[in-house]
Amino acid sequence: MLKEKLQLIRHGKLTAEQNLNQFLEKIKKEDKEINAFLEINKNALQDAKEIDKKIKAGKAGKLAGLAIAVKSNINVSGMAASCASRTLENYKAGYDATVISKLKKEDAVIIGMTNMDEFACGSSGETSAFGPAKNPLCKDRIPGGSSSGSAAAVAAEFCDIALGSDTGGSIRNPASHCGVIGVKPSYGRVSRYGLIDLSMSLDQIGTFSKDIYGSALLLSIISGYDEKDATTFDEKVHAYHELLETPKNITIGISKELNNLTTDKKILEKIDSIINKARILGWKIKQVELGHVDLAVQAYYPICYVEFFSATRKFTGRLYGKKIEDVCGPEVLRRILGGSEISKAEHHGMYYRRALKAMSLIKKDFENAFKECDIILSATVPRLPHKIGEKISIENMYGYDALTIPANLAGISAISVPIGKINACPAGLQIMAPAFAEARMFQAAKAIEDLNCV
Ligand code: GLN
């Protein structure tokens, strides 16, 4: 779909301005209900016109004419980077994050900043200080979180592609609930410079799109070593067509430990039918053991709380916005207070150090499993999305990420692809691959997309 659109643009059959205007009109009509955007870029039309001149002159970049939505925790010069929090509601970014500079260099138009869980703390989109986004495919349900607005914007066709961030599942979870593609790259694949931290040792910026092509194209542009982010690796960046090649001799790993964590067995039935189709491709199936993944949620939260507590110490109200504790919502406050407690000397060894230990066991599990298979398949989210406003326990809310957190703890790459609907709600399949094996992951995802599983 996106490939065809880019061709239309290149051949002058669709201008950047027309493409943008179609989206802006749709947003005007429908986003009052969906609430995917917190801010629309007032300069977008002007930017599109400039890009049209470049297209005509044959000097345009790879994303020329496409409209991209950006999660509100990524700095885009002159736009609000509020993190959907009252703390930063009046804060305007003074610079571009590295990913944004890269997009602009390829002539993308930034259409606007999207809604999200406050400071990316959440799995449903409901902790936003500006009201939850709705799931465009089943409107009484949550879109998932924390990158709720970016997923909803792609699903509602308010933009071509979008950026989000994923610390424990915040791209894959809403992608699964909204029926779109969501990619969490390997840790260190994409620069975090200009991303406002949730948990800096786990955060990664990634992509949303309607088809695999869109995410492959976007990822190939935002990836790569960045001297402004010491945690990026100097690994080969694949051109998008390499990410889309037909894979050979894939061995799929299946883990009963991950399947046991999947509470809605209908999701597993759908995945089984995909695995059966994959056999037609000649792919092999192997059981792999991930013996410690049931510890993932318990290991994740102490690490996340401690790093988030530390990251929020700059929000004193003196430099940026308001003092965070004075204005934030209950989930953010829980993490600040919890993070402060866990950081205390007497608790550090008991919680934080133990969490790091569990994290290294999970990492080792994946290293061993990937000796026996190329990719691991699981559900993306253990169950279907709840109704907006429905009261669910903190344990159940945290449990939404039971299947996605392991990839963040292990630093590996993972993607969620839509596998159709169950009770009118979309569900997702997660494909995990080793760190920096995004090519293998994308190739498998493309082959599954081509099987017409959706
Ligand atoms: N839902 C998880 C959390 O609340 C993950 C969030 C994320 O990936 N940003 O921490």
Side-chain angles (χ1 to χ4, degrees):
M1 290 180 296
L2 203 67
K3 192 175 177 183
E4 285 74 40
K5 185 185 259 190
L6 278 166
Q7 245 141 29
L8 290 179
I9 293 172
R10 214 157 290 149
H11 295 129
K13 298 205 173 98
L14 175 72
T15 64
E17 188 180 345
Q18 285 166 341
N19 187 40
L20 180 76
N21 272 331
Q22 282 168 11
F23 287 132
L24 291 176
E25 263 164 46
K26 205 161 187 316
I27 292 170
K28 209 168 171 187
K29 264 195 231 137
E30 296 169 27
D31 199 37
K32 272 195 198 78
E33 190 187 2
I34 304 292
N35 203 20
F37 282 97
L38 297 180
E39 188 187 17
I40 296 294
N41 183 4
K42 288 178 216 68
N43 299 324
L45 208 55
Q46 195 49 44
D47 294 347
K49 285 180 182 162
E50 292 300 320
I51 289 163
D52 276 330
K53 284 186 204 152
K54 280 189 171 182
I55 296 171
K56 269 204 181 124
K59 287 187 181 145
K62 293 193 193 87
L63 297 174
L66 299 185
I68 302 194
V70 179
K71 188 175 180 179
S72 292
N73 59 352
I74 298 173
N75 281 280
V76 180
S77 183
M79 308 260 323
S82 69
C83 291
S85 178
R86 296 275 170 219
T87 315
L88 293 173
E89 67 182 325
N90 299 317
Y91 171 69
K92 294 267 180 223
Y95 69 104
D96 281 331
T98 296
V99 288
I100 300 300
S101 310
K102 289 185 172 198
L103 295 187
K104 288 185 177 172
K105 216 165 142 198
E106 296 297 342
D107 296 318
V109 178
I110 310 292
I111 188 166
M113 307 302 293
T114 57
N115 204 353
M116 57 185 278
D117 278 298
E118 184 176 16
F119 281 102
C121 296
S123 309
S124 69
E126 292 166 301
T127 72
S128 166
F130 306 112
K134 282 190 183 156
N135 188 327
L137 275 82
C138 35
K139 289 190 182 132
D140 58 336
R141 307 271 157 176
I142 55 151
S146 65
S147 312
S148 48
S150 289
V154 171
E157 296 179 358
F158 292 162
C159 61
D160 289 299
I161 34 186
L163 289 180
S165 65
D166 190 311
T167 311
S170 279
I171 291 175
R172 289 160 288 160
N173 163 316
S176 170
H177 289 326
C178 292
V180 298
I181 314 278
V183 177
K184 182 207 94 72
S186 314
Y187 188 76
R189 173 61 96 183
V190 176
S191 170
R192 290 183 300 105
Y193 177 74
L195 169 70
I196 299 170
D197 300 322
L198 167 57
S199 182
M200 63 173 293
S201 71
L202 304 169
D203 300 334
Q204 265 296 279
I205 292 175
T207 64
F208 289 98
S209 58
K210 279 240 161 175
D211 56 9
I212 303 280
Y213 181 94
S215 275
L217 178 64
L218 190 50
L219 187 70
S220 68
I221 287 161
I222 61 172
S223 294
Y225 172 74
D226 180 14
E227 60 184 20
K228 293 190 186 124
D229 175 2
T231 62
T232 49
F233 285 83
D234 198 5
E235 288 279 338
K236 175 179 164 35
V237 173
H238 297 278
Y240 70 91
H241 55 85
E242 289 177 273
L243 296 175
L244 301 172
E245 281 166 12
T246 310
K248 292 179 217 99
N249 306 327
I250 291 266
T251 301
I252 298 177
I254 304 290
S255 141
K256 70 169 183 314
E257 296 84 6
L258 287 174
N259 288 351
N260 287 344
L261 292 169
T262 310
T263 32
D264 191 328
K265 300 301 170 201
K266 289 207 186 94
I267 306 178
L268 287 180
E269 283 167 22
K270 281 222 170 251
I271 293 175
D272 276 345
S273 80
I274 290 170
I275 292 171
N276 285 333
K277 286 188 188 169
R279 287 184 212 271
I280 304 168
L281 295 173
W283 294 6
K284 291 192 199 72
I285 322 291
K286 206 162 185 185
Q287 289 292 329
V288 291
E289 197 184 321
L290 297 171
H292 301 93
V293 285
D294 59 328
L295 299 176
V297 173
Q298 289 102 308
Y300 167 83
Y301 278 95
I303 296 170
C304 183
Y305 276 32
V306 164
E307 291 188 6
F308 181 60
F309 166 64
S310 158
T312 55
R313 294 310 81 207
K314 58 180 168 285
F315 301 124
T316 57
R318 273 185 292 166
L319 262 182
Y320 314 100
K322 305 189 179 86
K323 185 173 176 194
I324 191 165
E325 290 86 343
D326 290 346
V327 292
C328 69
E331 182 58 34
V332 165
L333 193 59
R334 180 184 354 266
R335 295 185 192 210
I336 292 173
L337 300 178
S340 150
E341 276 306 304
I342 298 168
S343 303
K344 288 182 180 152
E346 71 268 32
H347 295 146
H348 189 270
M350 203 155 61
Y351 299 109
Y352 187 68
R353 222 146 342 119
R354 281 182 144 187
L356 290 181
K357 237 182 230 168
M359 172 166 158
S360 66
L361 290 171
I362 290 168
K363 213 173 185 166
K364 210 77 243 122
D365 279 350
F366 277 101
E367 273 168 29
N368 289 336
F370 283 127
K371 284 180 193 152
E372 298 183 43
C373 65
D374 301 302
I375 53 168
I376 296 175
L377 297 191
S378 73
T380 306
V381 186
R383 59 194 186 89
L384 298 173
H386 63 265
K387 291 211 168 105
I388 291 181
E390 188 183 323
K391 284 246 168 321
I392 71 164
S393 66
I394 294 171
E395 288 75 17
N396 279 343
M397 187 65 93
Y398 286 4
Y400 266 122
D401 297 310
L403 304 171
T404 46
I405 284 173
N408 299 79
L409 295 178
I412 61 176
S413 51
I415 185 171
S416 178
V417 298
I419 50 170
K421 289 186 176 179
I422 297 168
N423 302 337
C425 291
L429 163 78
Q430 177 172 232
I431 306 172
M432 291 178 270
F436 300 101
E438 275 88 354
R440 195 190 298 171
M441 176 183 89
F442 267 98
Q443 289 166 3
K446 180 78 177 75
I448 289 174
E449 187 180 63
D450 292 344
L451 275 174
N452 255 338
C453 291
V454 184

